[in-house]
PDB file of all heavy atoms in Angstrom:
ATOM      1  N   VAL A  85     -10.519 -27.868  -3.201  1.00 98.00           N
ATOM      2  CA  VAL A  85      -9.352 -28.247  -2.395  1.00 98.00           C
ATOM      3  C   VAL A  85      -9.819 -28.473  -0.955  1.00 98.00           C
ATOM      4  O   VAL A  85     -10.868 -27.957  -0.554  1.00 98.00           O
ATOM      5  CB  VAL A  85      -8.252 -27.142  -2.447  1.00 98.00           C
ATOM      6  CG1 VAL A  85      -7.670 -27.033  -3.847  1.00 98.00           C
ATOM      7  CG2 VAL A  85      -8.797 -25.796  -1.970  1.00 98.00           C
ATOM      8  N   PRO A  86      -9.035 -29.245  -0.164  1.00 97.00           N
ATOM      9  CA  PRO A  86      -9.487 -29.584   1.196  1.00 97.00           C
ATOM     10  C   PRO A  86      -9.309 -28.462   2.222  1.00 97.00           C
ATOM     11  O   PRO A  86      -8.546 -28.580   3.173  1.00 97.00           O
ATOM     12  CB  PRO A  86      -8.652 -30.816   1.544  1.00 97.00           C
ATOM     13  CG  PRO A  86      -7.435 -30.703   0.703  1.00 97.00           C
ATOM     14  CD  PRO A  86      -7.819 -29.984  -0.547  1.00 97.00           C
ATOM     15  N   VAL A  87     -10.001 -27.354   2.014  1.00 97.00           N
ATOM     16  CA  VAL A  87      -9.964 -26.239   2.973  1.00 97.00           C
ATOM     17  C   VAL A  87     -11.217 -26.337   3.840  1.00 97.00           C
ATOM     18  O   VAL A  87     -12.329 -26.320   3.311  1.00 97.00           O
ATOM     19  CB  VAL A  87      -9.994 -24.866   2.255  1.00 97.00           C
ATOM     20  CG1 VAL A  87      -9.980 -23.722   3.256  1.00 97.00           C
ATOM     21  CG2 VAL A  87      -8.847 -24.730   1.300  1.00 97.00           C
ATOM     22  N   PRO A  88     -11.057 -26.424   5.165  1.00 97.00           N
ATOM     23  CA  PRO A  88     -12.260 -26.444   6.000  1.00 97.00           C
ATOM     24  C   PRO A  88     -13.016 -25.118   5.905  1.00 97.00           C
ATOM     25  O   PRO A  88     -12.393 -24.061   5.729  1.00 97.00           O
ATOM     26  CB  PRO A  88     -11.730 -26.646   7.418  1.00 97.00           C
ATOM     27  CG  PRO A  88     -10.251 -26.609   7.340  1.00 97.00           C
ATOM     28  CD  PRO A  88      -9.814 -26.507   5.917  1.00 97.00           C
ATOM     29  N   GLU A  89     -14.320 -25.191   5.999  1.00 96.00           N
ATOM     30  CA  GLU A  89     -15.124 -23.973   5.872  1.00 96.00           C
ATOM     31  C   GLU A  89     -14.740 -22.915   6.902  1.00 96.00           C
ATOM     32  O   GLU A  89     -14.821 -21.713   6.645  1.00 96.00           O
ATOM     33  CB  GLU A  89     -16.594 -24.331   6.036  1.00 96.00           C
ATOM     34  CG  GLU A  89     -17.480 -23.676   4.996  1.00 96.00           C
ATOM     35  CD  GLU A  89     -18.893 -24.206   5.072  1.00 96.00           C
ATOM     36  OE1 GLU A  89     -19.171 -25.245   4.450  1.00 96.00           O
ATOM     37  OE2 GLU A  89     -19.696 -23.562   5.772  1.00 96.00           O
ATOM     38  N   SER A  90     -14.289 -23.390   8.073  1.00 97.00           N
ATOM     39  CA  SER A  90     -13.914 -22.443   9.137  1.00 97.00           C
ATOM     40  C   SER A  90     -12.669 -21.625   8.774  1.00 97.00           C
ATOM     41  O   SER A  90     -12.354 -20.648   9.436  1.00 97.00           O
ATOM     42  CB  SER A  90     -13.692 -23.191  10.444  1.00 97.00           C
ATOM     43  OG  SER A  90     -12.758 -24.226  10.243  1.00 97.00           O
ATOM     44  N   ASN A  91     -11.948 -22.031   7.731  1.00 98.00           N
ATOM     45  CA  ASN A  91     -10.777 -21.254   7.284  1.00 98.00           C
ATOM     46  C   ASN A  91     -11.135 -20.208   6.237  1.00 98.00           C
ATOM     47  O   ASN A  91     -10.274 -19.465   5.785  1.00 98.00           O
ATOM     48  CB  ASN A  91      -9.738 -22.182   6.636  1.00 98.00           C
ATOM     49  CG  ASN A  91      -9.036 -23.058   7.625  1.00 98.00           C
ATOM     50  OD1 ASN A  91      -9.505 -23.214   8.752  1.00 98.00           O
ATOM     51  ND2 ASN A  91      -7.927 -23.652   7.221  1.00 98.00           N
ATOM     52  N   VAL A  92     -12.386 -20.220   5.806  1.00 98.00           N
ATOM     53  CA  VAL A  92     -12.798 -19.325   4.714  1.00 98.00           C
ATOM     54  C   VAL A  92     -13.536 -18.123   5.305  1.00 98.00           C
ATOM     55  O   VAL A  92     -14.672 -18.237   5.762  1.00 98.00           O
ATOM     56  CB  VAL A  92     -13.690 -20.085   3.707  1.00 98.00           C
ATOM     57  CG1 VAL A  92     -14.178 -19.150   2.608  1.00 98.00           C
ATOM     58  CG2 VAL A  92     -12.911 -21.250   3.096  1.00 98.00           C
ATOM     59  N   HIS A  93     -12.842 -17.004   5.341  1.00 98.00           N
ATOM     60  CA  HIS A  93     -13.379 -15.797   5.975  1.00 98.00           C
ATOM     61  C   HIS A  93     -13.893 -14.855   4.896  1.00 98.00           C
ATOM     62  O   HIS A  93     -13.192 -13.936   4.473  1.00 98.00           O
ATOM     63  CB  HIS A  93     -12.302 -15.139   6.825  1.00 98.00           C
ATOM     64  CG  HIS A  93     -11.646 -16.098   7.765  1.00 98.00           C
ATOM     65  ND1 HIS A  93     -12.247 -16.532   8.923  1.00 98.00           N
ATOM     66  CD2 HIS A  93     -10.473 -16.765   7.681  1.00 98.00           C
ATOM     67  CE1 HIS A  93     -11.455 -17.404   9.526  1.00 98.00           C
ATOM     68  NE2 HIS A  93     -10.373 -17.559   8.789  1.00 98.00           N
ATOM     69  N   ARG A  94     -15.102 -15.115   4.465  1.00 97.00           N
ATOM     70  CA  ARG A  94     -15.647 -14.267   3.413  1.00 97.00           C
ATOM     71  C   ARG A  94     -16.302 -13.036   4.026  1.00 97.00           C
ATOM     72  O   ARG A  94     -16.680 -13.042   5.199  1.00 97.00           O
ATOM     73  CB  ARG A  94     -16.628 -15.050   2.544  1.00 97.00           C
ATOM     74  CG  ARG A  94     -17.934 -15.405   3.205  1.00 97.00           C
ATOM     75  CD  ARG A  94     -18.933 -15.936   2.172  1.00 97.00           C
ATOM     76  NE  ARG A  94     -20.192 -16.282   2.793  1.00 97.00           N
ATOM     77  CZ  ARG A  94     -21.173 -15.401   3.020  1.00 97.00           C
ATOM     78  NH1 ARG A  94     -21.020 -14.132   2.692  1.00 97.00           N
ATOM     79  NH2 ARG A  94     -22.295 -15.776   3.595  1.00 97.00           N
ATOM     80  N   VAL A  95     -16.445 -12.001   3.209  1.00 97.00           N
ATOM     81  CA  VAL A  95     -17.162 -10.797   3.625  1.00 97.00           C
ATOM     82  C   VAL A  95     -18.645 -11.136   3.654  1.00 97.00           C
ATOM     83  O   VAL A  95     -19.167 -11.725   2.699  1.00 97.00           O
ATOM     84  CB  VAL A  95     -16.920  -9.643   2.624  1.00 97.00           C
ATOM     85  CG1 VAL A  95     -17.692  -8.399   3.038  1.00 97.00           C
ATOM     86  CG2 VAL A  95     -15.434  -9.350   2.480  1.00 97.00           C
ATOM     87  N   ARG A  96     -19.325 -10.779   4.737  1.00 97.00           N
ATOM     88  CA  ARG A  96     -20.778 -11.040   4.824  1.00 97.00           C
ATOM     89  C   ARG A  96     -21.502  -9.960   4.025  1.00 97.00           C
ATOM     90  O   ARG A  96     -22.193  -9.102   4.572  1.00 97.00           O
ATOM     91  CB  ARG A  96     -21.244 -11.038   6.280  1.00 97.00           C
ATOM     92  CG  ARG A  96     -20.529 -12.045   7.142  1.00 97.00           C
ATOM     93  CD  ARG A  96     -21.173 -13.422   7.056  1.00 97.00           C
ATOM     94  NE  ARG A  96     -20.159 -14.461   7.371  1.00 97.00           N
ATOM     95  CZ  ARG A  96     -20.297 -15.742   7.138  1.00 97.00           C
ATOM     96  NH1 ARG A  96     -21.371 -16.196   6.545  1.00 97.00           N
ATOM     97  NH2 ARG A  96     -19.351 -16.588   7.456  1.00 97.00           N
ATOM     98  N   SER A  97     -21.328 -10.038   2.736  1.00 95.00           N
ATOM     99  CA  SER A  97     -21.803  -8.960   1.863  1.00 95.00           C
ATOM    100  C   SER A  97     -23.307  -9.011   1.611  1.00 95.00           C
ATOM    101  O   SER A  97     -23.857  -8.158   0.933  1.00 95.00           O
ATOM    102  CB  SER A  97     -21.040  -8.996   0.538  1.00 95.00           C
ATOM    103  OG  SER A  97     -21.004 -10.319   0.066  1.00 95.00           O
ATOM    104  N   GLU A  98     -23.970 -10.017   2.197  1.00 95.00           N
ATOM    105  CA  GLU A  98     -25.430 -10.045   2.132  1.00 95.00           C
ATOM    106  C   GLU A  98     -26.035  -9.102   3.172  1.00 95.00           C
ATOM    107  O   GLU A  98     -27.240  -8.879   3.190  1.00 95.00           O
ATOM    108  CB  GLU A  98     -25.964 -11.463   2.323  1.00 95.00           C
ATOM    109  CG  GLU A  98     -25.666 -12.108   3.680  1.00 95.00           C
ATOM    110  CD  GLU A  98     -24.291 -12.779   3.704  1.00 95.00           C
ATOM    111  OE1 GLU A  98     -23.351 -12.245   3.090  1.00 95.00           O
ATOM    112  OE2 GLU A  98     -24.149 -13.829   4.349  1.00 95.00           O
ATOM    113  N   ASN A  99     -25.190  -8.533   4.053  1.00 94.00           N
ATOM    114  CA  ASN A  99     -25.650  -7.522   5.001  1.00 94.00           C
ATOM    115  C   ASN A  99     -26.346  -6.392   4.257  1.00 94.00           C
ATOM    116  O   ASN A  99     -25.904  -5.992   3.177  1.00 94.00           O
ATOM    117  CB  ASN A  99     -24.443  -6.921   5.738  1.00 94.00           C
ATOM    118  CG  ASN A  99     -24.270  -7.495   7.135  1.00 94.00           C
ATOM    119  OD1 ASN A  99     -25.133  -7.324   7.988  1.00 94.00           O
ATOM    120  ND2 ASN A  99     -23.164  -8.183   7.328  1.00 94.00           N
ATOM    121  N   PRO A 100     -27.436  -5.838   4.834  1.00 95.00           N
ATOM    122  CA  PRO A 100     -28.152  -4.780   4.119  1.00 95.00           C
ATOM    123  C   PRO A 100     -27.280  -3.562   3.806  1.00 95.00           C
ATOM    124  O   PRO A 100     -27.445  -2.934   2.763  1.00 95.00           O
ATOM    125  CB  PRO A 100     -29.303  -4.404   5.053  1.00 95.00           C
ATOM    126  CG  PRO A 100     -29.176  -5.239   6.276  1.00 95.00           C
ATOM    127  CD  PRO A 100     -28.113  -6.261   6.063  1.00 95.00           C
ATOM    128  N   THR A 101     -26.360  -3.227   4.695  1.00 97.00           N
ATOM    129  CA  THR A 101     -25.470  -2.122   4.334  1.00 97.00           C
ATOM    130  C   THR A 101     -24.034  -2.630   4.236  1.00 97.00           C
ATOM    131  O   THR A 101     -23.619  -3.540   4.965  1.00 97.00           O
ATOM    132  CB  THR A 101     -25.512  -0.959   5.363  1.00 97.00           C
ATOM    133  OG1 THR A 101     -24.890  -1.409   6.568  1.00 97.00           O
ATOM    134  CG2 THR A 101     -26.935  -0.509   5.639  1.00 97.00           C
ATOM    135  N   ALA A 102     -23.294  -2.009   3.325  1.00 97.00           N
ATOM    136  CA  ALA A 102     -21.897  -2.376   3.136  1.00 97.00           C
ATOM    137  C   ALA A 102     -21.090  -2.045   4.397  1.00 97.00           C
ATOM    138  O   ALA A 102     -20.124  -2.739   4.723  1.00 97.00           O
ATOM    139  CB  ALA A 102     -21.334  -1.643   1.922  1.00 97.00           C
ATOM    140  N   GLN A 103     -21.497  -0.995   5.096  1.00 98.00           N
ATOM    141  CA  GLN A 103     -20.779  -0.596   6.313  1.00 98.00           C
ATOM    142  C   GLN A 103     -20.861  -1.698   7.378  1.00 98.00           C
ATOM    143  O   GLN A 103     -19.864  -2.020   8.023  1.00 98.00           O
ATOM    144  CB  GLN A 103     -21.339   0.728   6.860  1.00 98.00           C
ATOM    145  CG  GLN A 103     -20.513   1.318   8.001  1.00 98.00           C
ATOM    146  CD  GLN A 103     -19.064   1.592   7.594  1.00 98.00           C
ATOM    147  OE1 GLN A 103     -18.801   2.310   6.632  1.00 98.00           O
ATOM    148  NE2 GLN A 103     -18.112   0.993   8.311  1.00 98.00           N
ATOM    149  N   GLU A 104     -22.050  -2.296   7.520  1.00 98.00           N
ATOM    150  CA  GLU A 104     -22.184  -3.415   8.476  1.00 98.00           C
ATOM    151  C   GLU A 104     -21.285  -4.577   8.058  1.00 98.00           C
ATOM    152  O   GLU A 104     -20.651  -5.219   8.899  1.00 98.00           O
ATOM    153  CB  GLU A 104     -23.632  -3.908   8.526  1.00 98.00           C
ATOM    154  CG  GLU A 104     -24.586  -2.981   9.264  1.00 98.00           C
ATOM    155  CD  GLU A 104     -26.039  -3.422   9.063  1.00 98.00           C
ATOM    156  OE1 GLU A 104     -26.451  -4.383   9.726  1.00 98.00           O
ATOM    157  OE2 GLU A 104     -26.727  -2.827   8.210  1.00 98.00           O
ATOM    158  N   ALA A 105     -21.263  -4.849   6.776  1.00 98.00           N
ATOM    159  CA  ALA A 105     -20.407  -5.937   6.285  1.00 98.00           C
ATOM    160  C   ALA A 105     -18.940  -5.637   6.595  1.00 98.00           C
ATOM    161  O   ALA A 105     -18.187  -6.520   7.030  1.00 98.00           O
ATOM    162  CB  ALA A 105     -20.612  -6.117   4.784  1.00 98.00           C
ATOM    163  N   ALA A 106     -18.536  -4.375   6.396  1.00 98.00           N
ATOM    164  CA  ALA A 106     -17.146  -3.984   6.667  1.00 98.00           C
ATOM    165  C   ALA A 106     -16.838  -4.075   8.160  1.00 98.00           C
ATOM    166  O   ALA A 106     -15.775  -4.567   8.552  1.00 98.00           O
ATOM    167  CB  ALA A 106     -16.897  -2.562   6.156  1.00 98.00           C
ATOM    168  N   ASP A 107     -17.776  -3.625   8.992  1.00 98.00           N
ATOM    169  CA  ASP A 107     -17.571  -3.677  10.451  1.00 98.00           C
ATOM    170  C   ASP A 107     -17.395  -5.125  10.909  1.00 98.00           C
ATOM    171  O   ASP A 107     -16.496  -5.435  11.690  1.00 98.00           O
ATOM    172  CB  ASP A 107     -18.764  -3.055  11.190  1.00 98.00           C
ATOM    173  CG  ASP A 107     -18.852  -1.543  10.970  1.00 98.00           C
ATOM    174  OD1 ASP A 107     -17.860  -0.957  10.482  1.00 98.00           O
ATOM    175  OD2 ASP A 107     -19.914  -0.965  11.286  1.00 98.00           O
ATOM    176  N   GLU A 108     -18.252  -6.003  10.401  1.00 98.00           N
ATOM    177  CA  GLU A 108     -18.159  -7.422  10.777  1.00 98.00           C
ATOM    178  C   GLU A 108     -16.846  -8.028  10.285  1.00 98.00           C
ATOM    179  O   GLU A 108     -16.220  -8.825  10.962  1.00 98.00           O
ATOM    180  CB  GLU A 108     -19.298  -8.222  10.136  1.00 98.00           C
ATOM    181  CG  GLU A 108     -20.554  -8.257  10.956  1.00 98.00           C
ATOM    182  CD  GLU A 108     -21.582  -9.224  10.358  1.00 98.00           C
ATOM    183  OE1 GLU A 108     -21.182 -10.278   9.814  1.00 98.00           O
ATOM    184  OE2 GLU A 108     -22.775  -8.900  10.418  1.00 98.00           O
ATOM    185  N   TYR A 109     -16.471  -7.624   9.089  1.00 98.00           N
ATOM    186  CA  TYR A 109     -15.256  -8.206   8.501  1.00 98.00           C
ATOM    187  C   TYR A 109     -14.020  -7.787   9.287  1.00 98.00           C
ATOM    188  O   TYR A 109     -13.098  -8.577   9.488  1.00 98.00           O
ATOM    189  CB  TYR A 109     -15.130  -7.783   7.035  1.00 98.00           C
ATOM    190  CG  TYR A 109     -14.303  -8.763   6.237  1.00 98.00           C
ATOM    191  CD1 TYR A 109     -14.501 -10.131   6.389  1.00 98.00           C
ATOM    192  CD2 TYR A 109     -13.333  -8.337   5.358  1.00 98.00           C
ATOM    193  CE1 TYR A 109     -13.758 -11.040   5.681  1.00 98.00           C
ATOM    194  CE2 TYR A 109     -12.582  -9.249   4.632  1.00 98.00           C
ATOM    195  CZ  TYR A 109     -12.795 -10.605   4.801  1.00 98.00           C
ATOM    196  OH  TYR A 109     -12.062 -11.512   4.108  1.00 98.00           O
ATOM    197  N   GLU A 110     -14.032  -6.567   9.744  1.00 98.00           N
ATOM    198  CA  GLU A 110     -12.879  -6.072  10.506  1.00 98.00           C
ATOM    199  C   GLU A 110     -12.678  -6.903  11.778  1.00 98.00           C
ATOM    200  O   GLU A 110     -11.545  -7.115  12.216  1.00 98.00           O
ATOM    201  CB  GLU A 110     -13.080  -4.597  10.849  1.00 98.00           C
ATOM    202  CG  GLU A 110     -11.807  -3.938  11.296  1.00 98.00           C
ATOM    203  CD  GLU A 110     -11.942  -2.436  11.369  1.00 98.00           C
ATOM    204  OE1 GLU A 110     -12.857  -1.946  12.062  1.00 98.00           O
ATOM    205  OE2 GLU A 110     -11.146  -1.744  10.730  1.00 98.00           O
ATOM    206  N   LYS A 111     -13.782  -7.389  12.340  1.00 97.00           N
ATOM    207  CA  LYS A 111     -13.688  -8.166  13.590  1.00 97.00           C
ATOM    208  C   LYS A 111     -12.996  -9.511  13.384  1.00 97.00           C
ATOM    209  O   LYS A 111     -12.410 -10.052  14.314  1.00 97.00           O
ATOM    210  CB  LYS A 111     -15.089  -8.391  14.174  1.00 97.00           C
ATOM    211  CG  LYS A 111     -15.668  -7.116  14.740  1.00 97.00           C
ATOM    212  CD  LYS A 111     -16.956  -7.380  15.511  1.00 97.00           C
ATOM    213  CE  LYS A 111     -17.619  -6.050  15.835  1.00 97.00           C
ATOM    214  NZ  LYS A 111     -19.011  -5.977  15.431  1.00 97.00           N
ATOM    215  N   VAL A 112     -13.088 -10.072  12.180  1.00 97.00           N
ATOM    216  CA  VAL A 112     -12.438 -11.375  11.962  1.00 97.00           C
ATOM    217  C   VAL A 112     -11.089 -11.225  11.252  1.00 97.00           C
ATOM    218  O   VAL A 112     -10.411 -12.212  10.956  1.00 97.00           O
ATOM    219  CB  VAL A 112     -13.336 -12.352  11.152  1.00 97.00           C
ATOM    220  CG1 VAL A 112     -14.658 -12.563  11.876  1.00 97.00           C
ATOM    221  CG2 VAL A 112     -13.583 -11.859   9.725  1.00 97.00           C
TER     222      VAL A 112
END
Side-chain angles (χ1 to χ4, degrees):
V85 293
V87 179
E89 225 172 274
S90 54
N91 288 16
V92 177
H93 309 284
R94 71 169 180 85
V95 179
R96 302 275 154 194
S97 47
E98 63 275 37
N99 259 297
T101 70
Q103 189 59 56
E104 286 170 78
D107 291 346
E108 272 188 36
Y109 205 44
E110 195 169 55
K111 289 189 190 128
V112 302

